[in-house]
Amino acid sequence: MDADRFFRPAIAAIAGYTPGEQPQIPGLIKLNTNESPYPPSPRVQEALTGADWERLNRYPDPLASSVRAAAAALVGGRPEQILACNGSDDSLTILVRSFVDDGGVMACLDPSYSLYPVLAELQGAECRRIALGKDFSFPPDLAALAGNASLLVLCRPNAPTGNVMPLEYVARACRAFAGIVVVDEAYADFAADNCAALVPQYPNLVLTRTLSKGYALAGLRLGYVYADAGLIAGLVKVKDSYNVNTLTQVLGTAALRDQDWLRQTVAKVRATRERVGNALRALGATVAPSQANFLFVRPPAPLAAAAYAQALREERILLRYFPGPRTGEHVRVTMGTEPEMDAFLAASARLFAKP
Ligand SMILES: *Cc1c(COP(=O)(O)O)cnc(C)c1O
């Protein structure tokens, strides 16, 4: 059957987003989707044990008040400035539906998170891709390049490159660009700083955060938006009525409140990132400076990135490879546990040394 003819043309025309693989193979070293290799805070387990299962007969709190309060305390804002979501992908969907018209224009950097153009296409909008410079540097005249777009989405630290635009660069974009500036802070937990202090200064600035990476809760599905209270009130109209389930609200609140755990875990991931980056450089690879929980790595010639990823895959080490003119020369490597990274480095050393 030709199912496409039933769909809106915008949907029939696109391939859709390709998520990283989630194979269930025992012994696999999974360095392909930027999850945490560590279990989440023990406070999450306590909250799960203490959760009131009988309460599941009722719908959840539509605004996830406990998540809102915990997130507001973290960013230094008010609960009315927080929208809890079913992961950052839900936040981004709500933002695009709210601020990008059918037939409209949204702008993002390239390379960046590959979901952004897909969300624009689903909306029936154009996605204007603004190319990063040499060595993935950020273009100086960003607002001019974004032009008449109604929404500009940035990713800080950027994925899959790992580099970070200066805070002043974001502030300048907020001043010069007439529409909404979204900064996707999925990896901000691993970075030296974040954009939270800019939100009170710029009413068109919207931050998205997630518990999937730093908090080791990719399976829970929780993220939040931080912005002006008026914008949040508008976004509430667009979200699903009960977009964050009851258990996620309970467990996510416990995780957000355990900042000691977050600090300790992030310190481990950062130490791994420095060690692995230095080791790869010593082996001859080119490694972009990263403030995230992954490295963007170009293997030494003559080894091609796709062949490198494939050879590691045969050794049950999974990386993420993005084909394409610029990304295709690199692989993205999530930081795993220390033993996992030792295995990855040993295999890389062997592959780099082959004639
Ligand atoms: C992982 C990731 C997300 C999605 O996070 P979820 O909360 O798991 O949906 C959003 N943006 C970027 C840049 C990411 O890498």
Side-chain angles (χ1 to χ4, degrees):
M1 184 185 86
D2 174 24
D4 274 355
R5 71 195 169 91
F6 293 108
F7 283 85
R8 289 169 47 218
I11 308 297
I14 64 170
Y17 177 70
T18 313
E21 296 172 83
Q22 305 294 344
Q24 309 291 323
I25 301 170
L28 187 73
I29 297 183
K30 193 171 178 307
L31 310 178
N32 69 327
T33 50
N34 294 345
E35 294 140 320
S36 176
Y38 302 109
S41 157
R43 298 286 97 79
V44 174
Q45 188 184 23
E46 289 167 20
L48 182 59
T49 311
D52 179 6
W53 68 272
E54 292 189 348
R55 173 72 185 70
L56 291 175
N57 65 325
R58 302 294 178 198
Y59 282 106
D61 174 351
L63 289 174
S65 306
S66 67
V67 173
R68 261 191 150 177
L74 275 179
V75 296
R78 290 176 291 122
E80 298 75 33
Q81 294 182 278
I82 302 288
L83 179 72
C85 293
N86 185 35
S88 268
D89 288 353
D90 182 36
S91 305
L92 293 164
T93 298
I94 293 166
L95 290 165
V96 172
R97 288 176 71 191
S98 299
F99 299 120
V100 184
D101 232 332
D102 183 357
V105 183
M106 150 179 164
C108 68
L109 295 173
D110 181 44
S112 193
Y113 186 33
S114 53
L115 179 68
Y116 307 144
V118 175
L119 291 177
E121 288 163 348
L122 288 171
Q123 188 70 7
E126 178 200 334
C127 187
R128 187 167 294 149
R129 295 168 210 224
I130 303 170
L132 297 184
K134 198 174 167 291
D135 298 332
F136 307 120
S137 62
F138 299 102
D141 44 356
L142 184 61
L145 293 166
N148 66 343
S150 58
L151 183 149
L152 166 64
V153 55
L154 307 174
C155 187
R156 185 183 191 277
N158 191 44
T161 54
N163 57 336
V164 174
M165 57 193 74
L167 286 177
E168 181 47 34
Y169 183 88
V170 175
R172 205 174 337 120
C174 291
R175 288 192 296 269
F177 183 67
I180 293 286
V181 177
V182 172
V183 179
D184 182 340
E185 292 200 326
Y187 300 101
D189 295 324
F190 305 101
D193 57 19
N194 61 61
C195 295
L198 297 179
V199 169
Q201 298 175 50
Y202 298 105
N204 60 336
L205 175 59
V206 175
L207 304 189
T208 63
R209 300 254 180 103
T210 175
L211 279 73
S212 293
K213 314 285 164 58
Y215 291 86
L217 287 169
L220 191 66
R221 311 309 301 134
L222 182 62
Y224 61 92
V225 180
Y226 173 41
D228 169 79
L231 291 181
I232 296 294
L235 297 174
V236 168
K237 295 192 281 186
V238 179
K239 79 176 186 75
D240 288 352
S241 307
Y242 306 108
N243 64 329
V244 179
N245 73 68
T246 302
L247 285 175
T248 293
Q249 294 188 25
V250 172
L251 307 193
T253 303
L256 287 170
R257 286 182 183 152
D258 193 355
Q259 290 297 305
D260 283 343
W261 178 94
L262 182 70
R263 266 187 293 277
Q264 287 166 24
T265 309
V266 161
K268 280 196 284 190
V269 174
R270 283 178 172 162
T272 304
R273 181 182 76 200
E274 297 318 304
R275 176 177 86 90
V276 172
N278 290 336
L280 285 169
R281 284 185 198 101
L283 290 172
T286 307
V287 185
S290 169
Q291 287 199 30
N293 66 340
F294 56 83
L295 294 169
F296 206 44
V297 180
R298 197 173 72 210
L303 182 59
Y308 176 40
Q310 181 55 35
L312 286 174
R313 186 188 185 88
E314 281 156 22
E315 304 199 27
R316 297 185 163 216
I317 300 174
L318 214 54
L319 312 177
R320 190 85 195 261
Y321 175 70
F322 299 95
R326 300 196 68 192
T327 53
E329 295 175 0
H330 300 72
V331 294
R332 193 193 66 190
V333 187
T334 307
M335 294 303 103
T337 62
E338 290 290 316
E340 286 175 333
M341 299 322 286
D342 286 340
F344 160 75
L345 286 170
S348 298
R350 258 185 284 115
L351 292 167
F352 293 175
K354 271 199 190 144

